Amino acid sequence: MTSTNVHTDRRLGWVLLAAAIAQIVAPIVQTVADVSQPGDDSESLLITPAGWAFSIWSLIYLLALAHAVVTLWRGDGVGSRRFLIDLIALYVGATVWIAVSAVAISWLTFLVLAVMTCFAIDAARIAASARLRDPAWITWLARAASGVYAGWVSAAVFLNLGTGAIELDIADPDIRGWQFALLVGAVVFALGANLLMPRSPGYAAAVVWALIGIIAAVAGESTTALVIAIVAIVLLVAQTAWQSTRALTD
């Protein structure tokens, strides 16, 4: 991964910082305006994580802001121009997602989040494929910022898919079978995406966090969902450990 793009065009770094700040300001404005919050319609889904799990957004925003500041401070985007463009598109998408959620149209928030997921995974993949730079913490910051973001939206997009299906009367929230299938689909997707990120454990960590939130929510409510979530955590942890071991020998 080269750093010439930011050195030759610092405007890209400024755009990255502006986008990172915009996605932080957007939910604050939404709260002050007292309008619908992302996920407000997800309460009818069995597989919705416990409320405290969504606090991960604070970490996501902090990492994004720190990486953007370092990009300008060091004059180094820790990656190709594509990496930075992916992040900018992701952060702008997050701002749009907040705005769209204000009109409480679940299927539309799903579409926005689906696009965000594509950009997030591509950015995390690029960062994960990078060799450690000097100093190494810059590369790890890039991996953390993109990986954690990608992991969380990878889980969230399936939740939004469920709420969108309910809103369009495609699925019945009282029927659990399709929700179990949705959870399995989210796990399979996460395992596949995690294969692209052998040096970015932040992706798996964010997905595991979402699964822990689901475990807390379904405990005593659904043994099936509980088992799926626990097995998924075991598989993700094992896969990440195996990939990390192999990456050390590369």
Side-chain angles (χ1 to χ4, degrees), residues 8-66:
T8 56
D9 188 359
R10 289 182 63 84
R11 290 174 298 179
L12 197 61
W14 283 110
V15 173
L16 178 67
L17 179 61
I21 293 174
Q23 70 170 350
I24 297 173
V25 172
I28 296 175
V29 172
Q30 186 182 48
T31 300
V32 172
D34 193 25
V35 295
S36 179
Q37 299 291 318
D40 279 354
D41 297 328
S42 65
E43 295 179 357
S44 56
L45 280 175
L46 172 70
I47 58 175
T48 300
W52 49 260
F54 293 88
S55 63
I56 194 175
W57 278 113
S58 296
L59 175 62
I60 289 172
Y61 291 149
L62 178 62
L63 288 171
L65 183 60

Side-chain angles (χ1 to χ4, degrees), residues 84-221:
L84 292 184
I85 291 176
D86 277 345
L87 291 181
I88 291 170
L90 173 62
Y91 301 163
V92 171
T95 305
V96 172
W97 178 54
I98 292 294
V100 170
S101 72
V103 297
I105 302 178
S106 295
W107 63 266
L108 189 54
T109 58
F110 161 70
L111 292 178
V112 174
L113 196 56
V115 174
M116 288 172 59
T117 301
C118 292
F119 282 114
I121 289 179
D122 191 55
R125 177 191 61 80
I126 293 172
S129 66
R131 296 291 181 178
L132 291 179
R133 305 172 62 82
D134 185 21
W137 66 266
I138 295 181
T139 304
W140 282 110
L141 176 59
R143 290 174 180 173
S146 57
V148 173
Y149 212 135
W152 183 252
V153 295
S154 290
V157 72
F158 281 86
L159 182 62
N160 273 223
L161 174 59
T163 56
I166 292 173
E167 182 180 88
L168 295 174
D169 293 324
I170 297 175
D172 185 345
D174 295 325
I175 298 177
R176 295 185 170 185
W178 69 270
Q179 297 186 53
F180 298 149
L182 194 65
L183 180 56
V184 171
V187 172
V188 172
F189 181 86
L191 288 169
N194 196 37
L195 283 174
L196 303 175
M197 307 168 199
R199 298 182 180 87
S200 185
Y203 179 87
V207 177
V208 167
W209 176 257
L211 290 167
I212 291 174
I214 291 175
I215 289 174
V218 302
E221 295 290 332

